[in-house]
Amino acid sequence: MTPSYTLTLDPGLRDLRAADHLLQALAAELDLPEGAFGCTHLVRGDRPRVALSLALPSEPLLRTAGERLTARGYAVTPGAPDTVGRAVIYPGVAALTGRLAVAEVPARSAIDRVTVLGAPGRPAPDTPLLTRDHVRPQWQDGELVLTAMPAVGGALVPFEVPDPTPCCADH
């Protein structure tokens, strides 16, 4: 993950939506700079949960954030829990709203590239992307990658939907 000053906190959350909300609240509270990244990480094992990481552009900013989080009762550890975090906070996220051409995504944000689920190669730069104002790329081999899927009319939408239906919601 970039930048290299990273910390992890494990608030014991079990769902991504709650983790997203907590990351956004912490970013506002800590007044994170534009170059910050906030990611979710799925922790498997005996106690599956969602951990959070914050990556900041300097060691002093990281130290201050860690101290403030510790003062709020969070257990903070150095580094990221893994290399495949799902980015919720990243440079340019606020500019990824509405309908954009695929080429605009890396031009406006820290996202390196867009891929289409199950498709070889990359989508054409002028392919429309309907963001639904919910763009959650994931770190893959050191790149921030947005996975999209086909939508009506030749457009794409981010693979992750903003308001997923909970499992077994109909029974």
Side-chain angles (χ1 to χ4, degrees):
M1 294 174 73
T2 320
S4 59
Y5 304 102
T6 307
L7 60 79
T8 294
L9 61 144
D10 187 349
L13 299 173
R14 294 187 55 103
D15 91 17
L16 287 173
R17 193 178 219 179
D20 284 7
H21 290 295
L22 180 56
L23 265 174
Q24 292 164 338
L26 292 173
E29 181 182 314
L30 297 171
D31 194 24
L32 296 181
E34 173 62 24
F37 288 82
C39 296
T40 60
H41 303 263
L42 299 178
V43 178
R44 292 166 175 67
D46 294 341
R47 196 174 55 94
R49 60 202 183 282
V50 182
L52 311 177
S53 68
L54 293 176
L56 301 173
S58 75
E59 195 276 329
L61 287 171
L62 185 72
R63 185 175 46 247
T64 300
E67 290 168 357
R68 291 180 66 193
L69 290 167
T70 301
R72 287 205 46 212
Y74 291 106
V76 175
T77 57
D82 57 42
T83 60
V84 292
R86 172 185 159 273
V88 176
I89 297 163
Y90 52 92
V93 65
L96 301 179
T97 60
R99 181 185 179 109
L100 306 169
V102 165
E104 290 178 87
V105 174
R108 292 183 178 200
S109 72
I111 295 174
D112 294 299
R113 62 188 169 93
V114 176
T115 63
V116 179
L117 189 66
R122 296 184 184 187
D126 61 343
T127 303
L129 175 73
L130 310 174
T131 69
R132 302 178 294 199
D133 301 342
H134 186 84
V135 181
R136 300 293 189 263
Q138 187 163 340
W139 289 102
Q140 297 177 10
D141 298 324
E143 288 187 309
L144 198 53
V145 179
L146 175 64
T147 301
M149 60 186 180
V152 176
L156 298 172
V157 293
F159 177 71
E160 185 177 324
V161 297
D163 296 312
T165 302
C167 177
C168 307
D170 61 341
H171 49 106

